[in-house]
Amino acid sequence: MDIRGAVNGLSTSVSNSLSVSASPEANRRLSIDHSLQSPYASHSHGSWGTRRTTTATLVKQLKPFQTGDIKILLLENVNQIGQDILKREGYQVEALKTSLPEHELIEKIKDVQVLGIRSKTKLTKKVLGEAKNLLVVGCFCIGTNQVDLQYAAEHGIAVFNSPFSNSRSVAELVIAEIISLARQLGDRSNELHRGVWNKVSSGCWEIRNKTLGIVGYGHIGRQLSVFAEAMGMNVLYYDVINEMSMGTARQTESLEELLKESDFVTLHVPETPETKNMISTEQFDMMRNGSYLINASRGTVIDIQALIDASRSGKLAGAALDVYPNEPAANGDYFNNDLNPWGEALRGLNNVILTPHIGGSTEEAQRAIGDEVANHLVGYVNQGITLGACNMPEVNLRSLTLDEPNHVRAIYIHKNIPGVLRRVNEILGDHNVDKQMSDSRGDVAYLMADISDVNTDEIKDIFRALEELSSALKAFNRSANAKSSLRFRNIRHMDVKDRFAAVIEDGPALTALCITLSAYSWTAFKKSLSEVSHA
């Protein structure tokens, strides 16, 4: 059960747009066409970059506007690898080492198209509501609980994360903590730092032949299972779904069964209503006397006061915590009772290892996260690819090539109700749609279509035909360049539910068409466009 974002019950309309065009300076990049082509040809790694054939094609690099008009704000010291990938695309990238207070964040992101954060920055409805130009959020971490995913999806803001890139680092930390707890290394180290020599063996154990119980058998849990078994441990695991075991690990029928049979229990579950305080007094009572508990998932899954009581009573021989219900927003002397009422009591326990949410804080993990999330952002901004999105349907089409000079890509984000696709196809019906894909996730739908054999005049005809539906597009220059496109983005974020945008860029090469439709009646559609025009 690794952490993945989920969006349910979306209720308001979605309207957003991405315009894409050919980038002359990138047209000479060489890619190899294959049946499972990487969506990010210029930065693909690992299995994404596997080449299936040796047929060479020149990929047409699609770009939204002029890349210099894309503003990106990266907070919380995003890894340099990620920064470099974004800067190579020609975007305006501003990188800060810390998170920002809410009022500063709101002011800072008003003109930003792309926002990169880690775990400390909170993107609430209030904050997102002020991000009038925001297209996409990149969470350079595992979790997305710091983002209001539902509100973001309702307003056409895609959210990406890196759910598996630091799983190795977390698994290694847990193994280290198992050994450290079994040998009471934390206490011995603290004593010797104070000048106290205390050589003891009482209550210290080998981990061989001990039983490890893993709650949540996702990417981290499975890697941990392999490590533990290689060190001679017996492995049990519990998950809400049936998972294939690694090695000789055995899945238990219930959490209760796992707790009763394990010497060490480690938690790897997401933060959901179902997992809140899933380990409390009742569960501690089920555990073996002298057992150990490790949590490197989310701080809310353990009732900390119950853990303190179990430790003081001797029920627990030790614990290791890397996450907490409330965590400081910055480094410093903040982990105290003002932050959590039990802070001082927790710090005073014997054989309890406390670390400041560093499970994924290794150079290797942060490089991998920076690479993965930055490439997701490039793929989405440049080509509209939503593979890996936490709150959008996952849609991708093969890249356009230089052999397809008169092709254009259209992208639609809309509310998932009947009638939208018919209206879209009526607009495109007189032209050849070479490729088209649509998918939905809850109440949000996402459509991507590549239209072939069209020229600038034909696109203008499409524009004129759509313009007859309303005069509101007079607020937008027909031969819009990059900057006028951005001006329209400001207009589209006014309090109007139904909006339409078409971007056409003149020139010898056909470069861009982007159409966004909401899913309400044409009467309401025209009325809202009229409101935009007057505005």
Side-chain angles (χ1 to χ4, degrees):
M1 295 196 304
D2 283 305
I3 300 167
R4 296 300 297 261
V7 179
N8 297 302
L10 303 181
S11 58
T12 63
S13 68
V14 174
S15 180
N16 201 351
S17 64
L18 291 172
S19 63
V20 292
S21 62
S23 173
E25 69 273 14
N27 279 344
R28 294 296 174 260
R29 293 181 183 173
L30 181 65
S31 178
I32 306 299
D33 196 19
H34 49 79
S35 59
L36 295 176
Q37 183 174 347
S38 166
Y40 318 121
S42 61
H43 302 296
S44 58
H45 297 278
S47 60
W48 278 112
T50 302
R51 301 312 192 208
R52 302 300 184 187
T53 73
T54 58
T55 303
T57 62
L58 289 173
V59 173
K60 177 189 288 187
Q61 297 296 317
L62 302 178
K63 298 284 184 179
F65 328 118
Q66 297 170 3
T67 54
D69 290 318
I70 295 294
K71 294 182 179 180
I72 298 180
L73 175 63
L74 303 178
L75 301 176
E76 304 180 61
N77 200 27
V78 167
N79 186 266
Q80 190 63 45
I81 294 291
Q83 295 184 39
D84 292 343
I85 289 172
L86 297 171
K87 289 176 181 177
R88 281 200 298 266
E89 296 297 316
Y91 305 143
Q92 298 181 43
V93 179
E94 180 181 4
L96 303 180
K97 292 185 178 296
T98 64
S99 59
L100 295 175
E102 184 179 82
H103 68 282
E104 292 184 23
L105 178 61
I106 288 174
E107 185 65 29
K108 195 77 173 173
I109 66 175
K110 286 183 177 179
D111 296 323
V112 168
Q113 284 77 44
V114 180
L115 178 63
I117 64 172
R118 295 177 67 189
S119 58
K120 293 177 182 177
T121 300
K122 307 301 180 185
L123 297 184
T124 62
K125 178 179 179 179
K126 177 182 178 181
V127 173
L128 292 173
E130 296 295 327
K132 301 303 183 183
N133 292 292
L134 190 61
L135 299 175
V136 58
V137 174
C139 296
F140 288 79
C141 52
I142 290 183
T144 57
N145 57 301
Q146 71 275 38
V147 181
D148 190 329
L149 294 177
Q150 178 172 326
Y151 184 89
E154 290 170 357
H155 292 76
I157 302 171
V159 179
F160 293 90
N161 70 331
S162 181
F164 312 126
S165 292
N166 69 0
S167 57
R168 168 78 183 209
S169 297
V170 176
E172 286 186 2
L173 177 66
V174 173
I175 286 292
E177 289 174 335
I178 290 172
I179 296 173
S180 296
L181 290 173
R183 298 297 299 273
Q184 301 178 13
L185 295 184
D187 287 359
R188 299 293 87 77
S189 176
N190 288 335
E191 290 164 354
L192 204 54
H193 274 283
R194 297 194 303 268
V196 177
W197 186 273
N198 186 21
K199 183 178 179 180
V200 296
S201 60
S202 175
C204 297
W205 313 93
E206 294 181 353
I207 65 170
R208 181 178 50 178
N209 294 325
K210 303 302 186 296
T211 298
L212 173 64
I214 302 172
V215 182
Y217 205 61
H219 282 248
I220 296 172
R222 287 194 292 272
Q223 288 194 58
L224 180 58
S225 177
V226 174
F227 293 163
E229 190 169 317
M231 301 185 74
M233 300 188 78
N234 305 308
V235 178
L236 303 176
Y237 65 93
Y238 171 72
D239 205 305
V240 294
I241 60 176
N242 291 326
E243 294 281 5
M244 184 179 71
S245 63
M246 304 295 290
T248 61
R250 175 173 64 86
Q251 184 166 9
T252 62
E253 294 293 329
S254 65
L255 176 62
E256 179 180 357
E257 179 185 352
L258 180 141
L259 296 176
K260 289 181 176 179
E261 296 184 22
S262 299
D263 300 301
F264 296 82
V265 175
T266 179
L267 308 175
H268 303 281
V269 298
E271 181 178 359
T272 67
E274 291 75 22
T275 62
K276 183 175 182 179
N277 289 337
M278 67 180 297
I279 304 296
S280 190
T281 302
E282 180 181 357
Q283 287 71 37
F284 284 118
D285 290 341
M286 297 176 185
M287 295 176 66
R288 289 180 172 179
N289 292 329
S291 56
Y292 304 84
L293 180 66
I294 299 168
N295 184 23
S297 59
R298 284 294 177 261
T300 58
V301 303
I302 293 180
D303 180 345
I304 301 295
Q305 186 57 56
L307 181 148
I308 293 171
D309 295 339
S311 181
R312 286 172 172 171
S313 69
K315 183 70 175 183
L316 284 182
L321 303 179
D322 189 48
V323 289
Y324 311 89
N326 297 305
E327 298 180 355
N331 292 340
D333 188 16
Y334 304 120
F335 194 73
N336 50 42
N337 280 15
D338 293 334
L339 184 69
N340 294 293
W342 34 255
E344 293 182 10
L346 183 65
R347 299 204 314 267
L349 297 176
N350 291 327
N351 204 26
V352 171
I353 300 171
L354 304 178
T355 50
H357 203 151
I358 58 171
S361 295
T362 63
E363 293 288 349
E364 294 88 348
Q366 292 307 308
R367 285 198 296 265
I369 290 171
D371 181 273
E372 180 179 1
V373 177
N375 278 308
H376 279 315
L377 295 177
V378 170
Y380 183 74
V381 172
N382 287 3
Q383 301 190 60
I385 297 168
T386 57
L387 296 180
C390 303
N391 65 337
M392 290 281 178
E394 296 190 76
V395 177
N396 183 30
L397 293 176
R398 70 167 176 81
S399 300
L400 295 177
T401 71
L402 295 183
D403 295 329
E404 303 168 301
N406 294 325
H407 285 55
V408 69
R409 175 163 292 180
I411 296 168
Y412 309 83
I413 306 173
H414 59 85
K415 192 173 182 182
N416 184 29
I417 64 174
V420 179
L421 294 182
R422 175 176 59 81
R423 290 168 181 161
V424 171
N425 288 327
E426 285 174 354
I427 295 170
L428 306 179
D430 293 333
H431 302 274
N432 182 46
V433 178
D434 186 51
K435 303 185 294 293
Q436 180 172 317
M437 182 177 179
S438 180
D439 198 1
S440 62
R441 184 173 185 166
D443 287 344
V444 174
Y446 192 98
L447 181 144
M448 181 186 295
D450 288 348
I451 309 166
S452 63
D453 299 323
V454 288
N455 56 43
T456 304
D457 289 337
E458 289 173 322
I459 294 179
K460 288 182 177 180
D461 289 340
I462 295 173
F463 181 86
R464 292 189 186 102
L466 292 170
E467 189 180 34
E468 291 175 0
L469 298 175
S470 173
S471 62
L473 289 179
K474 289 180 180 177
F476 182 54
N477 194 316
R478 294 187 187 183
S479 58
N481 57 21
K483 292 183 178 179
S484 60
S485 174
L486 287 172
R487 286 199 299 271
F488 187 81
R489 290 187 181 280
N490 290 327
I491 293 172
R492 73 175 177 82
H493 279 286
M494 294 179 178
D495 294 330
V496 178
K497 289 185 179 179
D498 305 80
R499 290 155 291 193
F500 164 78
V503 176
I504 300 172
E505 190 169 314
D506 292 323
L510 177 64
T511 55
L513 170 66
C514 178
I515 301 170
T516 299
L517 294 172
S518 63
Y520 288 80
S521 69
W522 287 111
T523 301
F525 177 64
K526 293 179 182 180
K527 180 175 181 291
S528 295
L529 285 174
S530 178
E531 294 173 358
V532 174
S533 179
H534 293 319

